[in-house]
Amino acid sequence: MKSKAKTVAAYIAEVPEERRAAIKAVRAVLKKQVPKGYVESMGYGMITWTVPLATYPDTYNGQPLCYAALSSQKQYMAVYLMTAYSGELLKKLQAGFKARGKKLDMGKSCIRFKKLEDLPLDVIGDIAAAVPVKKYIEIVQAAHPKKK
């Protein structure tokens, strides 16, 4: 369900009431833990934390580089942590869910949850806090080297 909301407040207001508290709780963790330099806004029909174009303008699609996002989809809610899909952060995410007795429901680009209790918020916060803007840009550049 892609939202057409222009602001985060408008997005939260349109989230179904039974999901609103969960979205607000996860957003609060992300707002607190996402490193300085990322900007919270609306993008791709969801709440996003991005690298501003003023900091990194050379993106493949001309849009700010997405670092994290949060959305309410038709069948579930989802948190997107772009650096958690391989390597040490993926292992940390998997271990954190397992240690807390939670099932990690992870797709190619999201961690799905149906209720707030499905997420170990401290683990989500730790992963969200793990990569400063400069390092994230380096990761992106290494993954997408310029063609000569």
Side-chain angles (χ1 to χ4, degrees), residues 17-93:
E17 188 175 341
E18 66 274 9
R19 292 183 175 186
R20 201 167 299 141
I23 292 292
K24 285 181 175 181
V26 177
R27 177 182 177 233
V29 168
L30 292 172
K31 281 184 70 151
K32 181 178 179 187
Q33 296 298 109
V34 167
K36 289 190 186 325
Y38 295 102
V39 175
E40 181 190 49
S41 62
M42 290 299 298
Y44 309 100
M46 57 188 151
I47 303 169
T48 60
W49 286 263
T50 60
V51 178
L53 289 173
T55 303
Y56 185 69
D58 195 21
T59 63
Y60 75 95
N61 62 0
Q63 298 296 313
L65 188 60
C66 189
Y67 174 71
L70 177 62
S71 71
S72 177
Q73 301 293 336
K74 187 174 183 179
Q75 300 295 323
Y76 54 85
M77 293 168 280
V79 62
Y80 301 77
L81 301 170
M82 304 311 176
T83 57
Y85 298 99
S86 65
E88 291 304 311
L89 288 179
L90 175 59
K91 291 177 189 173
K92 185 175 182 177
L93 182 70

Side-chain angles (χ1 to χ4, degrees), residues 124-145:
I124 298 298
D126 287 348
I127 300 298
V131 183
V133 170
K134 184 178 178 188
K135 178 67 177 167
Y136 186 48
I137 291 170
E138 290 170 3
I139 291 167
V140 169
Q141 289 174 329
H144 303 285

